[in-house]
Amino acid sequence: MSTTPPSPRERLLETASRLFYAEGIHTVPVDRLVTQADVTRATFYRHFPAKEDLVVAYLRATDARLRGAVETAVAQGAAEQGVSAVLDLIGETTCAAGFRGCHFINAAAEYPDASDPVREAIAEHRAWFQQTVTELAARAGHPDPAYAGRVLVLLHDGALAGAQLDDPEAVRATVRRAGHDLLGLPH
């Protein structure tokens, strides 16, 4: 069985994903990306006319991966089970090896201009997540799903920030309990 090696574009995205998350976007120069992805500068610029284009592609790839994980979690059965699975997913993320916060919050800190294409990719991801958890809250029967969705987003954001500063296991347990309390679900 032969496997096709990753394309230069795929190698650049994988390298960017690893380095941007671990070290920050602005600290990683194009020369390092090119070297570690084993591509030429010309190849880099053929796929990504500017580093910012690679940053947007990295965020969109991260978004696609997270959407898949959330969709899998939500498909666990009844709304209550889907909510619990999403809360558990947040907890698993905060306790994962190499956890360094939220990809999107980290990127937003480096790109403060709301009109920047990087911030637009962040806003699209956040709008999707907001809509997803609001729909889950509605399916779970919350009397004010819009409010519950906003609270769930804040729990998510707080967990992804707090787990870097506090005990990740305590953060995981708190997120699960707070989400269940909010939606009136059993612990």
Side-chain angles (χ1 to χ4, degrees), residues 4-5 21 87 96 102-103 114 136 157 167:
T4 306
Y21 186 68
L87 294 169
C102 174
H103 298 80
L136 275 174
D157 292 350
D167 174 19

Side-chain angles (χ1 to χ4, degrees), residues 78-84 133-143 145 148 152 179-180 182-185:
E80 294 83 5
Q81 293 165 315
V83 169
S84 288
V133 294
T134 300
E135 289 171 3
L136 275 174
R139 285 183 34 220
H142 194 279
L152 289 168
H180 281 234
L182 172 70
L183 298 171
L185 302 175

Side-chain angles (χ1 to χ4, degrees), residues 39-57:
V39 299
T40 64
R41 284 182 74 80
T43 298
F44 175 92
Y45 289 113
R46 183 174 32 246
H47 292 287
F48 304 102
K51 182 180 174 184
E52 185 174 84
D53 296 308
L54 176 59
V55 174
V56 170

Side-chain angles (χ1 to χ4, degrees), residues 31-154:
D31 287 340
R32 185 160 171 223
L33 291 163
V34 165
T35 299
Q36 290 202 10
D38 195 27
V39 299
T40 64
R41 284 182 74 80
T43 298
F44 175 92
Y45 289 113
R46 183 174 32 246
H47 292 287
F48 304 102
K51 182 180 174 184
E52 185 174 84
D53 296 308
L54 176 59
V55 174
V56 170
Y58 148 70
L59 291 172
R60 294 205 189 285
T62 301
D63 172 71
R65 184 176 43 78
L66 293 173
R67 284 180 192 231
V70 169
E71 287 169 9
T72 298
V74 169
Q76 302 267 334
E80 294 83 5
Q81 293 165 315
V83 169
S84 288
V86 169
L87 294 169
D88 288 343
L89 182 62
I90 294 167
E92 289 167 17
T93 300
T94 64
C95 292
F99 174 72
R100 214 179 133 306
C102 174
H103 298 80
F104 299 93
I105 293 171
N106 293 348
E110 294 193 52
Y111 289 86
D113 181 357
S115 66
D116 190 289
V118 170
R119 287 299 290 265
E120 291 172 7
I122 293 165
E124 289 169 15
H125 171 76
R126 290 184 63 77
W128 162 79
F129 188 71
Q130 176 76 55
Q131 178 182 352
T132 299
V133 294
T134 300
E135 289 171 3
L136 275 174
R139 285 183 34 220
H142 194 279
D144 188 351
Y147 167 76
R150 290 189 304 274
V151 172
L152 289 168
V153 169
L154 287 173

